[in-house]
Amino acid sequence: MSASRRMSFSSNLNHYGMIHVASVSDVLLDNSFTPPCQRMGGMVSFRTFEDFVRLFDEIMGCFCDSPPQSPTFPEAGHPSLYDEDKSAREEPIHILNVAIKTDCDIDDEGLAGMFREFTQSKDRILVNDLWRRLKQTVEMEFLQVLKSVLIDHGIRRLTFLVAQKREFPKFFTFRARDKFEEDRIYRHLEPALAFQLELNRMRNFDLTAIPCANHKMHLYLGAAKVEAGAEVTDYRFFVRAIIRHSDLVTKEASFEYLQNEGERLLLEAMDELEVAFNNTNVRTDCNHIFLNFVPTVIMDPSKIEESVRSMVMRYGSRLWKLRVLQAELKINIRLTPTGKAIPIRLFLTNESGYYLDISLYKEVTDSRTAQIMFQAYGDKQGPLHGMLINTPYVTKDLLQSKRFQAQSLGTTYVYDITEMFRQSLIKLWAFMNDLATLPAPPLPSDMLTYTELVLDDQGQLVHMNRLPGGNEVS
């Protein structure tokens, strides 16, 4: 946005009694100091929704002088939660954030409806008529009104922030790619911070946002994407939360904070999941919890593993009842107070029900591709080692589907029995090492071997070499 356009916009808003807040852009009044930027963003606030309607044309006027496309910004079409098949020149690029204060007691669906009407309507409507309907119906309807205007001015995203008395701020986001229908996945989620929830990793699922009483929690019901006409058999809940706090400067404070806050959030996540679990008409499995700790802490990552394992064991039965088989923690860690912050990921899986697998990774940037990937932290190389951090969650495979059927009947899947013996032998080996007086020998790699035998057409037992779950027994 050019300097003259910015100043004109600010002064006009002041004319309507709005206070202009100085920004860095006001310092760059001389065009020679303005960076060559093509994207424009507007942030406006109004005491009433009526004021926004009245000034809408003037706000849109600030997006009229958009400079032509140039190589300054990367081409459009980067992978996102939704795939977009548009050329860079056709791609809308501007952002508008609108804050509105309202004393009306309007629920979420009411607000969303009014906004939707505003964005979808191709014809102008009288402000008084719109204001009258605002008090009678929902805010989403307002958005439908000027859909063509938003498109003509290259608006990529329009977000409404609604401030009501004694309520948390409410967010309603409308995107050009959805023809300015509400992006329900981002309701009450500030779009600029949504990347911290890593929603794009759930792109193998069609998501439905589930309302939560706890504003810290974001709950989604995912249905695995299948071919048209195919039945969906993989449903799962995704619980995600962002933990914000100032950086912690001592190891003691870091450990205590992570332990207490982590346990509290786990309990809150299970509470929300339990409500949703008991109020859904589909059977879910492989439910997932993701916690993103934003503050930087000082501690040894191995201590996190010990603490998390103890916590999971403490609430294991409840997690199992809620079919929480996967969890992920993202934490920024310094090994020393002056050390460099390292993004650490801790993954937990318990798909079989008797073995908790914990894998630690750190995020590293590939010098060749400049992409961020997982690198195993420590001796153990987990399944995500070397994979990109935006790798999507995989849908349920045949093995897990059959395992779920067996576990739902209160029994153990036959292919898991051999692994149960393996885990018991490992524990017994460690126990005997503790009693031994001589140096402990290394754990044998072939501690347990087994062969699958099946009946052939003549009723004879023969060896069969196939992947777990490949049996045809019903």
Side-chain angles (χ1 to χ4, degrees), residues 29-44:
L29 295 181
D30 189 342
N31 285 341
S32 62
F33 293 100
T34 303
C37 178
Q38 287 91 42
R39 294 188 69 178
M40 296 190 293
M43 300 181 70
V44 294

Side-chain angles (χ1 to χ4, degrees), residues 103-117:
D103 296 326
C104 301
D105 187 17
I106 306 175
D107 63 14
D108 290 356
E109 295 306 321
L111 293 168
M114 181 187 68
F115 291 140
R116 180 178 179 277
E117 180 179 346

Side-chain angles (χ1 to χ4, degrees), residues 252-381:
E252 293 77 13
S254 298
F255 184 76
E256 184 179 358
Y257 172 77
L258 272 180
Q259 195 170 36
N260 295 338
E261 189 70 6
E263 185 166 1
R264 186 175 66 83
L265 281 168
L266 177 62
L267 290 171
E268 291 178 357
M270 288 192 294
D271 288 342
E272 291 294 340
L273 190 55
E274 192 162 25
V275 173
F277 196 82
N278 294 324
N279 288 280
T280 183
N281 55 1
V282 295
R283 296 180 66 186
T284 61
D285 188 31
C286 298
N287 296 328
H288 188 284
I289 295 176
F290 172 81
L291 303 179
N292 185 352
F293 287 83
V294 176
T296 301
V297 298
I298 303 170
M299 64 187 308
D300 182 357
S302 61
K303 289 188 177 292
I304 301 176
E305 183 175 348
E306 298 170 8
S307 178
V308 168
R309 185 181 293 276
S310 172
M311 192 183 306
V312 171
M313 293 302 181
R314 195 156 54 245
Y315 301 105
S317 59
R318 189 179 178 192
L319 290 166
W320 180 252
K321 181 181 177 182
L322 295 172
R323 299 300 297 174
V324 178
L325 306 186
Q326 303 167 343
E328 180 181 351
L329 278 71
K330 179 180 179 181
I331 311 170
N332 296 308
I333 289 179
R334 284 193 178 98
L335 299 178
T336 63
T338 57
K340 183 180 179 181
I342 306 171
I344 294 290
R345 302 281 187 129
L346 186 143
F347 287 83
L348 303 96
T349 57
N350 184 27
E351 294 181 348
S352 61
Y354 55 83
Y355 173 59
L356 178 64
D357 182 61
I358 298 181
S359 301
L360 270 175
Y361 306 90
K362 63 179 178 180
E363 297 178 11
V364 296
T365 303
D366 189 315
S367 57
R368 184 174 55 86
T369 63
Q371 292 183 307
I372 304 175
M373 59 179 55
F374 295 115
Q375 185 180 86
Y377 190 93
D379 298 330
K380 181 180 177 180
Q381 225 178 66

